[in-house]
Amino acid sequence: MPYDMLSLIVSKVGATSSVDYVNTILTCKKLNISFDNYFVAKDLDLQALVQRPREANNYKSLMESCLRRNNVDAHYVQGILEYFEGKNIFIDLHHLRVAARRGHKEGRFIYAVLLMSLGIADKGKKALTKLTNEHGLATVECIWGNVRSSLNGIDLQMKKVYHQSVAKMTPGPNCHPPELKTACSACFHHYFLNEFVNLMMGLQPTVEVL
């Protein structure tokens, strides 16, 4: 079988499970299809690093190879690290923007929330609304849970602009009865932004999403 065809087959294995990819290579070392192979690096499943982005610092060659091939998981992981552990918050949105545009659900969510948190409210709300319309509010809540897990162990820092953005997006008194600590279709953008800011401050969730 031609080498390119073998590479494509192995890449499909890697796209499903990085563990299965490793086992395939170990089982048949004659394949010699490493992670810097174009097909493998492009589609390799990096869910283990998506869940624990800081672990990527131990796999720099793997990350560099996957980023060169526009691996969407790699862009998400790199974006998390560069934004939360980097210096320039606007430049460091690049990788998250790439992940979002290529359909990475967690990437789409955190990119939208970060836009809102940085005062780019209309663009962020539009992106979050599109994600919610496609997958439903309950699923987006689960995606937010995945993002929270990704941020475990990351040095989270509160920024003044976050407070300002939350204040500007606070729903009016006629949104729904204030005694109901919930979020509705009119204020779920603020709900997720507020939960993000609470996470930055080390606080527990304050409301429930409907």
Side-chain angles (χ1 to χ4, degrees):
M1 184 178 294
Y3 180 79
D4 286 348
M5 184 61 71
L6 286 172
S7 297
L8 185 59
I9 293 172
V10 173
S11 74
K12 297 302 181 183
V13 173
T16 303
S17 168
S18 57
V19 174
D20 288 345
Y21 160 72
V22 171
N23 289 336
T24 299
I25 298 304
L26 291 177
T27 301
C28 188
K29 295 182 178 179
K30 290 183 179 180
L31 286 175
N32 193 30
I33 301 175
S34 65
F35 59 75
D36 60 353
N37 175 278
Y38 174 85
F39 297 108
V40 172
K42 179 177 179 293
D43 296 320
L44 185 63
D45 173 49
L46 299 178
Q47 276 302 304
L49 298 183
V50 167
Q51 295 170 8
R52 295 179 296 277
R54 295 196 78 180
E55 289 294 317
N57 292 322
N58 299 321
Y59 301 95
K60 292 185 177 180
S61 294
L62 172 63
M63 284 293 294
E64 289 172 359
S65 179
C66 289
L67 286 171
R68 281 198 302 270
R69 304 307 184 188
N70 272 326
N71 181 295
V72 67
D73 282 343
H75 278 294
Y76 174 78
V77 171
Q78 189 68 17
I80 292 292
L81 292 175
E82 289 191 356
Y83 180 86
F84 291 100
E85 297 190 342
K87 300 296 182 181
N88 191 315
I89 59 177
F90 291 102
I91 291 178
D92 295 338
L93 284 176
H94 166 70
H95 289 288
L96 290 176
R97 181 169 60 251
V98 172
R101 288 179 175 175
R102 295 197 60 209
H104 194 280
K105 292 179 183 177
E106 286 75 19
R108 291 176 66 184
F109 177 89
I110 193 61
Y111 180 63
V113 171
L114 287 174
L115 287 175
M116 292 189 295
S117 73
L118 295 172
I120 313 172
D122 289 343
K123 187 174 181 180
K125 289 170 67 175
K126 182 178 180 181
L128 187 56
T129 295
K130 185 176 181 181
L131 178 65
T132 304
N133 288 342
E134 290 177 6
H135 299 285
L137 204 52
T139 298
V140 174
E141 178 82 350
C142 292
I143 293 171
W144 168 222
N146 295 338
V147 172
R148 283 201 306 267
S149 296
S150 293
L151 297 177
N152 282 338
I154 300 290
D155 184 19
L156 304 177
Q157 297 182 6
M158 187 65 194
K159 294 178 172 63
K160 184 178 180 179
V161 66
Y162 295 168
H163 282 306
Q164 297 170 342
S165 297
V166 168
K168 289 179 180 178
M169 288 182 60
T170 300
N174 297 323
C175 181
H176 56 268
E179 65 271 13
L180 296 179
K181 294 184 177 180
T182 59
C184 66
S185 59
C187 66
F188 72 93
H189 305 95
H190 178 267
Y191 161 75
F192 284 117
L193 174 59
N194 194 57
E195 291 305 290
F196 170 75
V197 172
N198 284 342
L199 182 64
M200 297 300 104
M201 298 174 65
L203 301 177
Q204 295 299 315
T206 56
V207 299
E208 296 178 357
V209 64
L210 294 179

